[in-house]
Amino acid sequence: MVTAQVSLPLPVLPEGWSASSDFKAIGTLSTPNQRNLEPVGPHFLAHARRKRHKRTFSEDERIQAQENVKKVEDEDGDDISEPENELMLGRDAKDWKNQDHYAVLGLSKHRYRATDSQIKRAHRKKVLRHHPDKRAATGSSEDDSFFKCIQKAHEILTDPVKRRQYDSVDEGASVDPPSKKAAAKSPNAFYKLWGPVFESEGRFSKLQPVPLLGNDKTTKEDVELFYNFWFNFESWRSFEYQDEDVPDDNENRDQKRHVERKNNNARKKKKTEDTARLRQLVDDCLAGDERIKKFKKEARADKDKKRLDREAGERRVLEEAKKAKEEKERLLKEKEEAEKAEKAEGKKAKEAAKNAAKKNKRVLKGSVKDANYLLPKGEEAGAKRIDEVLGDVEAVMGKIDNEELAALAGNLGALKVAEEIGGVWKEEVQRLEGIGKLKAGEMKILAW
């Protein structure tokens, strides 16, 4: 430590200041007391500890180092505590690229999930145990090779870029897919064994969170979402960690470019192989997923049901059309038969009316004949008289309809007296003249 001395002059007393006149006492000193002073502080405590236990400086430092390591281990607990094997302790620090950095720091069970705090505490714990000075203090003959491994692991895992590169190729965090036989042992074995596989692969996804495999109760929409996600998986895996070291010297630039091209090609190849591996993994899982089989079966059943319903609907429409056609034909036939019958009835009524009209006309003509053609009794009607009377009768019959004809025949049919018959004809002629069907004087005989 560098120390510096600074000289500060005392303030200048006011001009004319005098101690005898200007000095004023503001207090008095207390009476002196005799007290015992005791030494304190970490250095005195260390001295007292050495004296008490009769230790040398090196012995005390070694024992204190062991106690500090034990204290750190007790504080950290079991979350970052893993046993160390001889193979790991004997690793060559120069082969740092092939070492398991998480295992070196005792974080094998955490790996990519390890937090920055856990990495920091694990590193501190390892340093306290394996630092060359600490090992020397404990009397260990172990070299500093494993300590260099610890430092390298700490360097990699505390740098976000380097740690991501290492996590990209950390096979220790991968979970091998189960065999078909193992996955088919029980209904839940498939989900129990395949779930961790996709959870492990999900650490490479650009999109988070990653959908879960689920179980046999998972809905069809969630299952389809899961497989669509993995069939369109976007991985950030880059494989830079496995690059061949690029020469740092500026003299061999061609070699440097060659190594860089070689590394780029190797990354692309590994990326392609990893994509194919993941696609095969998803295909294997899909092939053994009973939910997919169940969904396909349900889809086929639903499709068959729709087909049967459609065919039934088509048959129903055809039957209804057939019934409608038959009903239409029946109604048309009934209508034709009714029209035919009506026509026959009309024809029959027309014939009957015609016959009735003929009969009524005969009655009208017979009435004038019975009335001696409206001549006095005993006088014989000549041909001319007969033609004139019958001409008037024809004229009247031509001016009236069948109903009037029937009414007139009814009035004349029961009469035998010539005067009564003549009176009826006279009234009929007057009626027709009154309604304008006959002109006055048009009838020669019947108007008499």
Side-chain angles (χ1 to χ4, degrees):
M1 180 182 293
V2 179
T3 59
Q5 293 182 351
V6 180
S7 298
L8 297 176
L10 295 174
V12 180
L13 295 174
E15 186 179 354
W17 186 85
S18 173
S20 58
S21 61
D22 296 330
F23 178 77
K24 295 181 180 180
I26 60 174
T28 58
L29 297 174
S30 61
T31 56
N33 292 322
Q34 185 176 359
R35 297 186 180 183
N36 295 325
L37 299 179
E38 297 181 358
V40 294
H43 295 289
F44 172 74
L45 294 176
H47 171 73
R49 185 174 59 249
R50 288 191 298 271
K51 287 297 183 181
R52 178 182 178 186
H53 298 289
K54 297 179 181 181
R55 301 172 185 168
T56 63
F57 276 91
S58 60
E59 289 175 341
D60 188 64
E61 288 181 356
R62 177 174 56 81
I63 294 173
Q64 286 300 111
Q66 293 175 347
E67 291 180 355
N68 286 338
V69 170
K70 187 175 184 305
K71 181 179 179 181
V72 170
E73 291 178 350
D74 294 340
E75 289 176 354
D76 289 338
D78 295 331
D79 61 334
I80 55 173
S81 296
E82 294 179 358
E84 298 173 342
N85 54 53
E86 294 297 328
L87 182 62
M88 181 182 295
L89 295 176
R91 285 197 60 82
D92 183 3
K94 295 180 181 180
D95 190 27
W96 61 269
K97 265 203 169 184
N98 294 321
Q99 78 176 20
D100 187 341
H101 298 306
Y102 289 110
V104 167
L105 294 183
L107 297 171
S108 297
K109 62 183 179 182
H110 296 284
R111 295 198 171 274
Y112 65 93
R113 300 186 188 89
T115 64
D116 294 339
S117 175
Q118 289 175 326
I119 293 173
K120 182 178 179 180
R121 289 189 292 120
H123 175 253
R124 178 168 173 259
K125 177 180 177 181
K126 292 293 184 180
V127 167
L128 287 174
R129 177 178 294 178
H130 296 284
H131 193 282
D133 294 342
K134 299 294 183 181
R135 303 296 294 183
T138 58
S140 174
S141 60
E142 180 185 327
D143 60 13
D144 61 349
S145 179
F146 185 64
F147 179 73
K148 292 179 181 179
C149 293
I150 294 172
Q151 294 301 90
K152 194 64 179 180
H154 181 259
E155 175 192 341
I156 297 295
L157 299 183
T158 53
D159 185 316
V161 176
K162 293 180 179 179
R163 182 181 180 185
R164 188 177 180 87
Q165 292 175 354
Y166 175 70
D167 287 341
S168 176
V169 298
D170 182 18
E171 296 298 333
S174 300
V175 179
D176 294 331
S179 64
K180 293 182 179 179
K181 184 177 180 181
K185 279 187 177 181
S186 66
N188 292 325
F190 177 86
Y191 311 106
K192 185 177 180 181
L193 296 177
W194 274 105
V197 175
F198 286 100
E199 184 180 354
S200 172
E201 294 293 337
R203 71 187 190 274
F204 300 125
S205 176
K206 291 181 180 180
L207 303 176
Q208 296 289 342
V210 176
L212 301 177
L213 176 63
N215 52 41
D216 58 345
K217 300 296 191 300
T218 305
T219 62
K220 181 181 180 182
E221 290 75 14
D222 289 340
V223 173
E224 291 178 347
L225 175 65
F226 173 82
Y227 284 107
N228 288 337
F229 177 88
W230 285 102
F231 279 124
N232 299 282
F233 188 74
E234 297 183 22
S235 174
W236 56 260
R237 209 170 182 186
S238 56
F239 302 98
E240 293 107 328
Y241 188 82
Q242 296 175 341
D243 284 354
E244 181 180 338
D245 293 335
V246 179
D248 293 334
D249 58 312
N250 296 325
E251 297 180 359
N252 197 351
R253 295 181 179 178
D254 292 339
Q255 177 65 15
K256 182 177 181 180
R257 285 193 289 268
H258 171 71
V259 174
E260 288 176 348
R261 285 195 300 270
K262 185 178 178 182
N263 286 336
N264 286 332
N265 293 334
R267 290 179 203 167
K268 292 179 181 178
K269 181 180 179 181
K270 292 173 182 177
K271 185 76 172 179
T272 302
E273 292 174 350
D274 185 66
T275 301
R277 177 195 63 83
L278 183 61
R279 181 56 185 262
Q280 185 61 47
L281 185 144
V282 178
D283 288 339
D284 293 343
C285 180
L286 180 67
D289 197 337
E290 293 295 331
R291 298 173 301 182
I292 300 298
K293 299 176 183 178
K294 181 182 72 171
F295 295 150
K296 288 183 178 179
K297 184 177 179 181
E298 292 175 351
R300 284 195 299 270
D302 184 61
K303 185 177 180 180
D304 292 341
K305 182 177 181 300
K306 290 181 179 178
R307 178 178 58 80
L308 293 174
D309 291 342
R310 184 178 66 255
E311 292 175 354
E314 292 174 354
R315 287 196 300 271
R316 185 170 59 254
V317 170
L318 292 175
E319 290 175 357
E320 291 176 354
K322 183 179 179 181
K323 290 180 179 178
K325 183 179 179 180
E326 292 175 352
E327 181 67 15
K328 184 177 180 180
E329 291 176 352
R330 183 185 65 80
L331 294 175
L332 182 61
K333 185 177 180 181
E334 290 180 355
K335 182 179 179 182
E336 290 176 352
E337 291 177 353
E339 290 178 352
K340 188 175 180 181
E342 183 179 356
K343 188 176 181 181
E345 289 294 330
K347 186 176 180 180
K348 186 177 179 181
K350 189 174 181 181
E351 289 292 332
K354 186 176 180 181
N355 294 331
K358 289 181 179 179
K359 181 180 179 181
N360 291 330
K361 287 179 180 181
R362 288 197 297 271
V363 171
L364 266 59
K365 291 178 180 180
S367 66
V368 295
K369 182 180 180 181
D370 292 340
N372 194 25
Y373 300 102
L374 304 179
L375 290 174
K377 188 176 180 181
E379 187 175 343
E380 185 178 356
K384 182 179 179 181
R385 176 73 176 187
I386 294 172
D387 290 339
E388 289 177 352
V389 172
L390 293 177
D392 287 350
V393 171
E394 290 289 344
V396 171
M397 289 190 297
K399 301 294 183 179
I400 61 178
D401 56 23
N402 291 335
E403 292 182 358
E404 292 173 327
L405 181 61
L408 181 58
N411 293 332
L412 294 173
L415 300 178
K416 298 296 183 180
V417 180
E419 289 79 5
E420 293 178 352
I421 294 173
V424 171
W425 277 109
K426 186 177 181 179
E427 289 177 359
E428 182 64 22
V429 170
Q430 290 175 351
R431 184 183 72 81
L432 293 176
E433 289 177 350
I435 59 177
K437 287 186 176 184
L438 288 176
K439 294 180 181 179
E442 185 177 353
M443 297 291 100
K444 298 177 181 181
I445 304 300
L446 295 181
W448 169 83

